[in-house]
Amino acid sequence: MKIQYRIYDSITISHFQPLKPGSFISECKKFELQISTSTEGKAGTTISPKLIWRESTRPDVGFSIDFLEITLDQKPEGNGFQILQQGYQSWSLTKKMKPEEQDLSPRLSFLQYSQENIYSGEKGKAGLFLSEYFLLAYNKENKNGILYASWDRGDFGIKFDIHLTQTGEVEYVSAIYDIYCLPDIRPNAKLSISKIKIESFVGSPEEKLSKYFKHLGTELKAPAFPKKVPTGWCSWYYYYTKIDQKIILDNLAKVRELNLPVEFFQIDDGYQKEIGDWLVPNEKFPGGMRILADEIKRVGLKPGIWLAPFLVRKKSEFFRKYPEAILKDEKGKPVPAIYQPLWGLDATYALDITHPTSLAYLEKVFSTIVKEWGYPYLKLDFLFAGLLPGETYKKNLSPQARYMEAMQMIRKVVGKNTFLLGCGAPILPSVGFFDGMRISCDVAPFWHPEKLRTFLKDRNALCTETALINDLTRASMHRNLWLNDPDCLLVRKKRNKMTEAQTKLMASVMAVSGGMLLVSDDLTKLEMERLQLLKKAFQLNSECQGYTPVPLGIFEEDFPPALYNPSGYLGIWNSTEQTKTVQVPLPPGLKPKEPFLDFWTGTRIDCSLSEKKDLLSVELPAFGSAVISV
C-alpha cells in the first residue's frame, strides 16, 4: 500500500507499514491509513478506508496528493479467471479481457485523454489490467466470480488494479484512488474515502452486475425514471456540422409526414458560431434558436439541443475575453481537451470549471437555453474535459469533485424537469445528475474500426461494432443509473457502408435494450424498406422500454451473443463474418417454449434447447440476428 504526493515537481512515493491492527503509517510519517472491515455473510465484505494527516501543521506550499493505493487481500482461488474491464467514460470500451491480452491505450496522447482516464497509465503487459469504478473477475468453467466495486461515491475517482497469471490465477488486486489535488487536510482530521465492496458469487455474472448497478442507483439517488423513454430524431450522423435552418425544418416536416412515433427532435453540433459561444447562432440559422424551438413545439414535438459546455476554442469570444477562466498547465498554457477536425485543425481547450467566471457563464448559458429559448432536452457532450489535469482556481477539489460540483450547479439552473443527456462523461461521478447517458463510443455508417484507428491501437475507435459491444456490456445500467443512450440508429442505404444484415443487427440490439432510440438519417431521402425497418424498431423498443435488460454471455465473446429483456424478448446475433451456431446461456428461471418466431419477419426460427433448458442454440448467417418472444 502506498501514497504518492508532490511538492511542486518533486514526487515522493511513501509505502505504508503496519502500526496496529487496522492502522498503517506511511514511511514519511505524514499519513496514517485506517482500514475497517466488516463482513456480512453472503452480502460480502465492506472495506472503509480513512486517510489521516499526522503532522502537526498544514502541508507545505506547493504540496498536493496524487493517488492512494490500497492492497486488497481477498482473492478468488484457482485458475481460469477472466475479467470484465470497465471503461472510464461513455466512449471507453467495456469488455471481457483474457490473461494473455494486454491493457493498451491508443498510441496518440490526444486519443488517450479524450477517451480514457488520463490519470491511469496503461499497463502494456499481458494479464495486467486497470478497471474503472468496479472489476468483475469470473471463471466461466466453474461459474464462480468475485466483484470489487466502489460501494458509494466519495470525492475521489477509484479504479482497480489486477494481475492475472498466464493460467488465469489472480495474483493481486488493489484499489487506487485518484486524488490529484490538495484536499482540505488538517492535523489529525480524517479524510473520508469511498467504501469498497468485495462479493464472491456463484452463478450469473450478468445478474451480479445488474444488482450492483441497482445498488449504486439507490445509493447515489438516481432520479425516478418514467416508463416512456425518449425517442426522436438527431441531425448528427447524416449532416454532422453541415446543418442549417432549412435542413432542420425539412426533417421536422418529414417526421410529421411519416408519422414516426418520436417525442424529441434534437439539433446537434453546427448551429453555434463557435465552440464556447453557445448563445450566438451562426449565419446558417438567421432566425435564431428560439424560433426553431417554437416550431418544433408547434408540430407536437419536444425540442432538444446539443452543446459541449466545458469546451472552448481560441476563436471564441469567451476565450478572448476571459483567458483567466481557461484551464492551464503548470507553464500557463491552455490545456487541450480534444482535436476535432470538423472544428479546425488546431486544438479545442478546456474550461477551468472551478473558476467563478466560467461558472457564471455556464449559469447564463443554461438559463438562456432552457428558460428563454425553450429547450427542455439538452445533450451535454465532451464532459470528460471537466476532469483534465491543470492549475485550477479551487485547488482543494479533486477532478471528480470539481466535475460533480459543476454538474450540481447545472442541474440546479435547468431544474428537475429538464432532460439532461450526458456524453463523453465519466461514469460513476455522473450518476444522479443525468436522466440519460451515452454508454458507448459513437456509432458510424460502417461496422469495423477504420484502418488508421486500428494502426493507432485505438481500442475505443468509433464504429458500430465497438458501440454495440458497450451497449451490451453496460445494458443493465438502464433504469438503474439512468436511461441508457446506445447512440443513434442508422437505417439508410445511401452514405452507409453497413450491409442490410449489419443494419438489422444494430436495430435489434438497440431496440431490445429498451434504451433511448433516436434515428439520425436524412428523412427526406429514406428508402421505403428502411423506413419499415425503422418503424418496427420503434415498435419493439416501445415494448422493451420499461424494463432493465440483461446481457447474456459477456464472458463468452467480446461481442456478447444475446440480450434478454424482461418484457419477454430475447435478441440473438452472430457478429462474425461466417455462418455460426450461436449458443446462448439463458438467465436463471427463464424457460422459453416453442415455437420461436422472429419479431422482424414473423417466421419460425429453428432453435434448440439443452436438456436442462438453460442453453439455447441457433444457427445464424454472417451478421444474422433474430428477436424471439420468450
Side-chain angles (χ1 to χ4, degrees):
M1 295 190 291
K2 60 188 177 184
I3 190 167
Q4 177 173 306
Y5 62 89
R6 65 181 66 214
I7 300 177
Y8 295 113
D9 293 332
S10 178
I11 298 175
T12 299
I13 296 178
S14 187
H15 293 264
F16 286 93
Q17 306 295 333
L19 183 65
K20 55 186 177 181
S23 184
F24 306 84
I25 192 74
S26 63
E27 295 169 327
C28 64
K29 309 301 181 185
K30 296 179 182 294
F31 300 97
E32 181 183 342
L33 178 62
Q34 294 182 352
I35 299 178
S36 61
T37 302
S38 61
T39 302
E40 304 92 15
K42 292 184 179 180
T45 300
T46 303
I47 297 174
S48 304
K50 289 183 172 59
L51 189 65
I52 304 172
W53 177 256
R54 278 307 184 198
E55 290 201 337
S56 59
T57 59
R58 299 290 290 272
D60 297 331
V61 175
F63 183 92
S64 63
I65 303 173
D66 289 346
F67 66 82
L68 170 68
E69 182 170 358
I70 298 176
T71 303
L72 303 177
D73 296 328
Q74 190 170 334
K75 300 182 297 182
E77 296 182 358
N79 300 321
F81 283 91
Q82 304 176 59
I83 70 158
L84 181 72
Q85 184 183 34
Q86 165 68 17
Y88 169 65
Q89 53 122 310
S90 300
W91 309 329
S92 309
L93 184 60
T94 292
K95 75 174 188 70
K96 76 174 181 69
M97 298 293 285
K98 296 181 288 189
E100 62 269 24
E101 293 183 284
Q102 296 180 349
D103 188 359
L104 292 175
S105 294
R107 287 180 175 177
L108 297 182
S109 60
F110 83 86
L111 290 175
Q112 294 173 16
Y113 63 68
S114 64
Q115 296 176 166
E116 301 188 347
N117 186 354
I118 196 172
Y119 305 101
S120 299
E122 65 178 49
K123 291 291 185 177
K125 293 184 180 180
L128 298 177
F129 304 103
L130 284 173
S131 185
E132 305 284 342
Y133 315 121
F134 72 86
L135 168 71
L136 188 66
Y138 187 68
N139 183 321
K140 66 178 184 178
E141 300 301 325
N142 299 329
K143 296 186 178 180
N144 68 295
I146 188 167
L147 172 70
Y148 302 90
S150 175
W151 204 236
D152 47 21
R153 180 177 59 198
D155 288 338
F156 312 119
I158 184 174
K159 57 206 173 196
F160 293 90
D161 185 8
I162 188 171
H163 179 207
L164 296 179
T165 67
Q166 291 181 349
T167 61
E169 180 182 358
V170 178
E171 188 167 283
Y172 73 77
V173 183
S174 65
I176 302 174
Y177 293 90
D178 290 335
I179 299 176
Y180 293 96
C181 68
L182 175 56
D184 189 14
I185 50 178
R186 304 171 186 272
N188 298 316
K190 296 179 181 180
L191 188 67
S192 293
I193 301 170
S194 59
K195 296 177 183 178
I196 298 168
K197 189 77 165 187
I198 304 175
E199 289 185 341
S200 298
F201 65 95
V202 176
S204 167
E206 296 90 354
E207 292 288 343
K208 174 57 65 175
L209 266 187
S210 186
K211 289 178 181 178
Y212 170 58
F213 294 146
K214 184 175 183 179
H215 162 82
L216 266 187
T218 301
E219 178 72 24
L220 302 181
K221 296 180 174 56
F225 303 113
K227 186 173 183 180
K228 186 173 175 55
V229 170
T231 55
W233 178 86
C234 168
S235 62
W236 179 248
Y237 288 105
Y238 190 89
Y239 301 101
Y240 296 96
T241 57
K242 296 179 180 179
I243 56 174
D244 57 34
Q245 187 169 291
K246 183 178 184 302
I247 286 172
I248 297 300
L249 292 175
D250 285 349
N251 277 277
L252 179 63
K254 203 66 179 178
V255 167
R256 292 293 80 185
E257 179 187 329
L258 297 174
N259 196 29
L260 291 178
V262 301
E263 181 183 7
F264 290 94
F265 193 87
Q266 180 187 314
I267 302 171
D268 214 284
D269 185 10
Y271 68 89
Q272 72 285 349
K273 183 178 181 181
E274 186 56 85
I275 299 296
D277 291 339
W278 304 109
L279 301 181
V280 185
N282 59 44
E283 67 281 357
K284 296 183 296 179
F285 290 83
M289 306 312 292
R290 179 173 177 174
I291 288 178
L292 284 178
D294 290 342
E295 188 63 20
I296 293 168
K297 292 175 185 176
R298 189 184 67 80
V299 299
L301 298 179
K302 295 179 181 178
I305 198 165
W306 171 96
L307 68 157
F310 300 157
L311 295 185
V312 62
R313 287 182 57 77
K314 281 188 174 180
K315 292 182 179 179
S316 70
E317 183 179 355
F318 184 88
F319 191 100
R320 294 195 302 270
K321 282 187 174 182
Y322 308 108
E324 72 278 7
I326 310 302
L327 185 66
K328 299 179 182 65
D329 62 21
E330 65 279 1
K331 296 180 181 178
K333 295 183 178 180
V335 172
I338 193 168
Y339 289 92
Q340 168 55 283
L342 293 175
W343 298 338
L345 298 180
D346 56 334
T348 299
Y349 298 98
L351 291 181
D352 175 2
I353 59 173
T354 72
H355 198 284
T357 301
S358 292
L359 293 172
Y361 177 64
L362 290 172
E363 184 174 354
K364 179 182 178 183
V365 165
F366 283 99
S367 179
T368 300
I369 292 176
V370 173
K371 298 173 183 177
E372 295 183 24
W373 290 2
Y375 286 84
Y377 169 106
L378 309 180
K379 177 181 177 181
L380 311 186
D381 209 347
F382 300 95
L383 295 176
F384 67 87
L387 296 90
L388 293 177
E391 298 296 313
T392 56
Y393 181 82
K394 289 187 178 180
K395 301 185 183 303
N396 66 318
L397 295 180
S398 72
Q400 179 161 300
R402 64 175 126 113
Y403 172 79
M404 292 190 297
E405 191 173 270
M407 286 310 311
Q408 187 175 34
M409 181 275 292
I410 291 171
R411 174 52 83 181
K412 183 178 180 180
V413 171
V414 302
K416 64 180 182 179
N417 293 326
T418 297
F419 189 97
L420 289 184
L421 171 63
C423 188
I427 298 298
L428 185 61
S430 295
V431 179
F433 298 111
F434 290 93
D435 303 280
M437 177 61 64
R438 171 80 75 77
I439 54 168
S440 71
C441 67
D442 284 13
V443 298
F446 45 84
W447 185 262
H448 296 295
E450 295 171 301
K451 291 182 179 179
L452 177 60
R453 292 291 188 99
T454 301
F455 172 76
L456 295 173
K457 297 187 181 301
D458 184 4
R459 59 184 171 185
N460 314 297
L462 60 85
C463 67
T464 295
E465 178 185 38
T466 304
L468 294 181
I469 289 173
N470 267 33
D471 292 341
L472 292 166
T473 56
R474 290 175 169 176
S476 294
M477 291 180 176
H478 182 56
R479 293 196 167 276
N480 283 322
L481 305 183
W482 37 57
L483 302 177
N484 277 0
D485 172 19
D487 206 11
C488 295
L489 176 60
L490 313 178
V491 298
R492 61 184 184 259
K493 281 186 178 180
K494 295 181 180 178
R495 295 175 63 177
N496 187 358
K497 295 179 181 179
M498 288 191 292
T499 65
E500 182 177 357
Q502 290 167 340
T503 302
K504 183 179 171 185
L505 198 163
M506 181 188 198
S508 296
V509 173
M510 290 185 173
V512 176
S513 77
M516 299 172 60
L517 191 62
L518 278 76
V519 62
S520 193
D521 293 316
D522 179 355
L523 297 180
T524 68
K525 299 177 181 178
L526 193 60
E527 302 83 2
M528 183 56 64
E529 64 268 34
R530 295 301 174 91
L531 175 62
Q532 296 308 312
L533 174 66
L534 175 61
K535 288 187 173 182
K536 284 188 73 70
F538 278 125
Q539 178 190 340
L540 178 58
N541 176 259
S542 69
E543 296 184 45
C544 294
Q545 287 181 357
Y547 303 86
T548 296
V550 179
L552 303 176
I554 62 174
F555 281 96
E556 299 296 328
E557 306 285 348
D558 287 348
F559 194 114
L563 182 66
Y564 169 64
N565 190 294
S567 65
Y569 286 102
L570 177 65
I572 311 169
W573 26 78
N574 169 20
S575 62
T576 73
E577 298 178 359
Q578 295 85 32
T579 297
K580 178 182 177 181
T581 297
V582 180
Q583 293 188 324
V584 178
L586 297 177
L590 181 63
K591 303 295 182 183
K593 297 180 181 180
E594 297 188 80
F596 300 114
L597 301 178
D598 180 29
F599 170 85
W600 298 109
T601 63
T603 59
R604 182 169 179 165
I605 300 292
D606 188 15
C607 300
S608 61
L609 286 171
S610 62
E611 186 176 344
K612 294 182 179 180
K613 296 190 175 182
D614 61 351
L615 189 70
L616 184 145
S617 300
V618 58
E619 185 177 273
L620 292 172
F623 299 107
S625 59
V627 176
I628 60 176
S629 181
V630 291

